[in-house]
Amino acid sequence: LSEILQALIALHTEPKDLYAKKEWQKVKEQIRKETVQAITDYEQADFSILKQAAIFKQDTVAQRKLGAYYVNKAKENVQEYKIKHEILTKAIEWYFLASRIGDPIAQVQLASMYGKMSTGVYQSHYDPNTIPEEIYWLEKAAEQGNSMAKYELGNKYYYGVTFYDEQGAIATQGLTIPYLARNLEKAFNLYMESAQAGYVPAMKRLS
């Protein structure tokens, strides 16, 4: 048997002899490095396949997965403002591609990103004027019967939506204030449609 295989067999039986123990540790570390490299190679290959499907086949599932990949990657760079900005921009681009093709799940995810930009959750992309984009994509997804989009859109009508500038003051931006007037009837209808489709948060809202 090779040293690698022998080490795998004895991985949990560390030798007592000092010299053997050192050699055992070396082989164990080698296995760890090779495993990490194998995982990295696999992820890179998988990532390459995703990009090919997303670009050449216009596969919206692949585009959504790439969007999610960059959102998660941004969480790993919370303190790096510039890096986070670049990563989240890529996430938005992938979600936008899938949304433009008509994927309702991507449309909800893109709307969520615009919502987080308008409230400052994504500080690297803070823009209080992304609310129209958020509502636009929620409406597009709701038109296709997406229950989550109907619920989130119901929340918009339940509370109403108003623009605020960076100082917290109401900003017109050439638009009527509020941007989306409170409409309890519309909110109720959207909650009902979402609940009838089995969306639990909507059911709780109506209970």
Side-chain angles (χ1 to χ4, degrees), residues 6-150:
Q6 288 179 44
L8 281 170
I9 293 169
L11 201 56
H12 299 292
T13 55
E14 185 173 345
K16 295 180 180 180
D17 178 80
L18 185 60
Y19 177 78
K21 185 176 180 179
K22 286 182 179 179
E23 291 301 309
W24 182 83
Q25 290 286 1
K26 285 180 183 178
V27 176
K28 188 177 178 181
E29 178 61 18
Q30 184 181 347
I31 293 171
R32 188 194 66 79
K33 287 181 179 179
E34 289 180 359
T35 302
V36 170
Q37 187 60 50
I39 292 171
T40 301
D41 291 344
Y42 174 80
E43 288 178 343
Q44 287 178 346
D46 188 52
F47 188 76
S48 177
I49 292 170
L50 272 179
K51 288 195 77 171
Q52 288 180 33
I55 295 170
F56 299 111
K57 295 182 180 180
Q58 293 293 288
D59 185 329
T60 59
V61 175
Q63 291 167 344
R64 287 202 322 258
K65 285 183 177 180
L66 286 168
Y69 167 81
Y70 283 113
V71 168
N72 290 328
K73 195 170 181 63
K75 293 176 183 177
E76 300 171 5
N77 295 276
V78 178
Q79 305 303 323
E80 298 292 336
Y81 184 91
K82 185 177 180 181
I83 295 174
K84 187 171 183 177
H85 183 277
E86 292 172 355
I87 293 171
L88 284 175
T89 297
K90 289 181 180 179
I92 292 168
E93 289 171 353
W94 284 116
Y95 280 139
F96 179 79
L97 284 174
S99 297
R100 188 177 59 178
I101 293 171
D103 188 301
I105 298 174
Q107 289 168 348
V108 172
Q109 290 167 324
L110 181 61
S112 176
M113 292 198 73
Y114 279 127
K116 289 175 180 176
M117 287 162 63
S118 69
T119 57
V121 174
Y122 290 153
Q123 292 183 1
S124 62
H125 280 72
Y126 175 67
D127 184 353
N129 300 315
T130 55
I131 297 171
E133 284 86 351
E134 179 190 7
I135 294 172
Y136 173 82
W137 289 114
L138 283 176
E139 288 176 338
K140 286 292 183 184
E143 287 169 7
Q144 297 188 72
N146 186 280
S147 56
M148 183 176 179
K150 289 180 179 180

